[in-house]
Amino acid sequence: MYVTKLQVLTLGAALQAVFTAATPTTNYCSQTITADYTNIAGAAIVSKPLPRPYKGLNYVGWAAVTNANIAGIQGSVLQVQSPPTSIFFGEQFGKTSTTNTFTVTSDYNHFTLTSLYFACVAAPDGSVGLGGAAGGVNVPTGCTVRAVGTKTDGSTVGADLTIGPVLKQQLFRFPITFVNLKSVNFVLLVTNALSGVTDVDFDNVQYTLYKTC
C-alpha cells in the first residue's frame, strides 16, 4: 500500500488532536487583592502579629502597627499609603533576616505579586523600633530590601527594592517574573543606619491569588 505525504500529515494531525484532547487542563479562578491592613485590631496600641492567613497569605515574622506609633524626625510621622495601619519587620544593625516570608495558604495554588508601597526608618538608639514605645524617634533612612520568590516548580526569581530616606512611602512594582509563586522572602540587604534597629514598612500590597475552580 502506498501512503501519500498528505495521508501522513493528516494522520499526524489526527494523533496530535487526540493527544491534546487527552491532556488534562487545569482551570484557575483568580482574585486580585490590595491589602491595606486597616482592619487588624490591636495595632493602634502596640505592634501586633498578623492573623494567619490574612487575605489569603500567611505572614511569618511581620507585625502590624499604626502610623501614629511611627514617630518621625521633628515630630512628624511616616506617611503610609492607607492610614492608619501598615505592616513591618525590623532588623538589629549588623544582622539580616531569613524568616520574613509571604506564603500562600493551602487553599491557593499560587499567586502573583504585583506592587507595594514601602519605606525604611531607623531607631538609632536600638531601643525603639516600629511599634515600640509611643513617642520613640524613628529617623527616615535609606535601605535596600531583597525579595526572592519561589515558584511552584521550585525555581526562584529576585528583585531589589531600594529607597532613600523618605517620610512618605514610595511605590515599587515587581517584575513580571513574579508569577506562579508559592512564597516570597524579604531580606534587609542594605541599610544606611549606622546603629540601632532598621524597620521596613509596607502598605497596599497588591497580589492575585489563584486556586483550582
Side-chain angles (χ1 to χ4, degrees):
M1 177 181 176
Y2 179 74
V3 180
T4 67
K5 183 177 181 181
L6 178 60
Q7 288 174 314
V8 172
L9 292 175
T10 302
L11 178 61
L15 290 173
Q16 179 63 37
V18 170
F19 177 78
T20 301
T23 302
T25 58
T26 303
N27 295 320
Y28 293 108
C29 295
S30 64
Q31 180 183 12
T32 298
I33 295 172
T34 300
D36 59 17
Y37 313 103
T38 55
N39 61 342
I40 299 176
I45 303 172
V46 293
S47 62
K48 181 176 182 177
L50 278 74
R52 299 184 191 176
Y54 178 81
K55 296 187 175 181
L57 296 181
N58 293 312
Y59 294 77
V60 179
W62 300 77
V65 69
T66 63
N67 65 335
N69 281 353
I70 310 174
I73 194 168
Q74 296 178 347
S76 58
V77 298
L78 177 66
Q79 297 178 47
V80 298
Q81 189 64 21
S82 294
T85 309
S86 57
I87 63 172
F88 76 97
F89 69 87
E91 292 295 352
Q92 187 70 33
F93 178 74
K95 295 182 179 180
T96 58
S97 169
T98 58
T99 60
N100 300 299
T101 307
F102 281 115
T103 306
V104 292
T105 69
S106 59
D107 294 335
Y108 295 91
N109 180 271
H110 60 274
F111 69 100
T112 294
L113 188 55
T114 306
S115 63
L116 53 78
Y117 286 81
F118 82 112
C120 288
V121 297
D125 62 2
S127 62
V128 180
L130 294 181
V137 176
N138 287 290
V139 180
T141 187
C143 71
T144 296
V145 177
R146 176 157 294 170
V148 178
T150 301
K151 298 191 175 190
T152 54
D153 63 2
S155 62
T156 59
V157 292
D160 287 349
L161 296 68
T162 300
I163 196 168
V166 297
L167 267 177
K168 183 177 181 179
Q169 290 182 325
Q170 304 296 306
L171 175 65
F172 179 84
R173 296 187 184 277
F174 287 89
I176 60 174
T177 53
F178 272 68
V179 297
N180 298 323
L181 298 168
K182 292 298 291 184
S183 66
V184 179
N185 288 330
F186 290 91
V187 177
L188 180 62
L189 194 65
V190 176
T191 174
N192 292 344
L194 300 179
S195 63
V197 175
T198 296
D199 293 312
V200 182
D201 191 75
F202 285 3
D203 201 4
N204 279 32
V205 178
Q206 186 177 83
Y207 51 95
T208 302
L209 300 168
Y210 295 87
K211 66 179 180 180
T212 305
C213 295

